[in-house]
Amino acid sequence: MARFRALLVAGVAIALLGGLALVATQPTGHDVIEQAPAPAQVFTPPNQGAVAPQTDERAVAVQSLLRARADALHRRDEKAFMASIDPKAEPAFRDAQLMLFRNLANVPLREWSYSVVTQRSLDPSVLPNVEGAQELWAPEIDLVYALRGADSSPTRRPMGYLLVKRANSWFIRSDTDLLGVGRRTWRGPWDFGPCLVITTGRGLVLTHPAREAMARRVAAEIDSAVNAVSSVWGTDWPQQVVVVLPDSSDEMRAMVGSNFPVESVVAVSVADRVDTDKNSAEGQRVVMSPTSADALSVTALRIVLRHEFTHIAARGSTVDGSPMWLLEGFADYVGYRDSGIPLGQAAPDLNASMLTTGPPSRLPSDEEFRAQGRTLDMAYQQSFSVARFVAERLGEPKLIELYQVLAKAGRASPEEIDDLLVSVVGLNREQFVAGWQEYLRETLG
């Protein structure tokens, strides 16, 4: 996550950066987006999960419906796409589905399909009453999609569809009727308006026409930012990125979570699923603020993108619960690495405290990264200075090695972290902090 506060540094407004990287489902790194509650009741067919004949026939029909819907989208056949919608559905839902189809016209889809898990269908008793329905069904349905030129593998997002059978044919009745029983529908940028896509050699920007000017600014920086991250982290990551520029705070919340403080950040990186055993992550996106991102100077935008792309590059190697001071400090280090901005200007609160109270007595705690205001700002600035200390005094390769080791530590005990510090840099925590303090005295005074 990139926090934004305008500072005049040599006449340039820059951003103070943090980097809480969010994981939407199956998290293995950083903070977690709050998920919908589990369904109140899930119906399991008889015979220990075996699908009953009626259910099997129903599943085949619904899978055929969804396959035809996806095929119509790929062929840009509006009539065939709308044939998947219940003719008696609410006009607002039909209108929204029509706009969804049209809004996707310019999105480069490599894949768009649906996955149905019949064994995770809701108990019929919790489904709403629908007049004239032969049958209602709510299996677990995922949208499986990938963006061409950006996603190395497809990702999955939940679709809370209520299905209805009329005249022996199945249709999608609604994508909101199941909210009360814990089934939510994920909303993509195409649910909020016509999409504009700008592609580069290293990824794409996905936005709306009203934000074209900002999208072109971002697109101009993507390739150099990806290359800058790879020059530090290495090339063992897809090196393809997607930056989303929402039009509104509601759209940003749809991307990053309903309870996320979108007004206080300039950018945040998210992922759908992470597998640290395979060093992989699905659906990674950098989502930029609809309100504050436009105010970034060229330098600040460059720092923000490199910071967030660092989280994307390292995501598959980062286990949930690893020390935030290193995860965030490392991302800031890469973000600022070629900026020419000295530590005292990049970390003004830390610089001021050095003049009044001296260096910090300990490394910032994970709790400080969940705080607000000055406490949070100071945690980020301290973590950045720690990363610079390691890189400048012990060498950049040691900083990278330290990240790779501690990022896999997860919720390790202080004693285990000490052992890992010694194994990489030859210093225990006390010695490490003492070296950092001396670096700050010499660098900031």
Side-chain angles (χ1 to χ4, degrees), residues 130-161:
V130 175
E131 184 178 355
Q134 283 180 278
E135 188 179 352
L136 296 173
W137 195 30
E140 187 175 277
I141 297 174
D142 282 346
L143 166 65
V144 182
Y145 85 98
L147 300 176
R148 188 173 61 251
D151 291 329
S152 58
S153 61
T155 187
R156 292 171 174 260
R157 301 312 311 256
M159 298 287 107
Y161 290 157

Side-chain angles (χ1 to χ4, degrees), residues 379-401:
Y380 282 127
Q381 293 175 38
Q382 289 177 359
S383 68
F384 171 45
S385 71
V386 172
R388 267 206 178 173
F389 152 63
V390 176
E392 292 183 11
R393 293 300 166 84
L394 304 176
E396 188 173 88
K398 278 297 179 185
L399 174 61
I400 298 166
E401 182 184 357

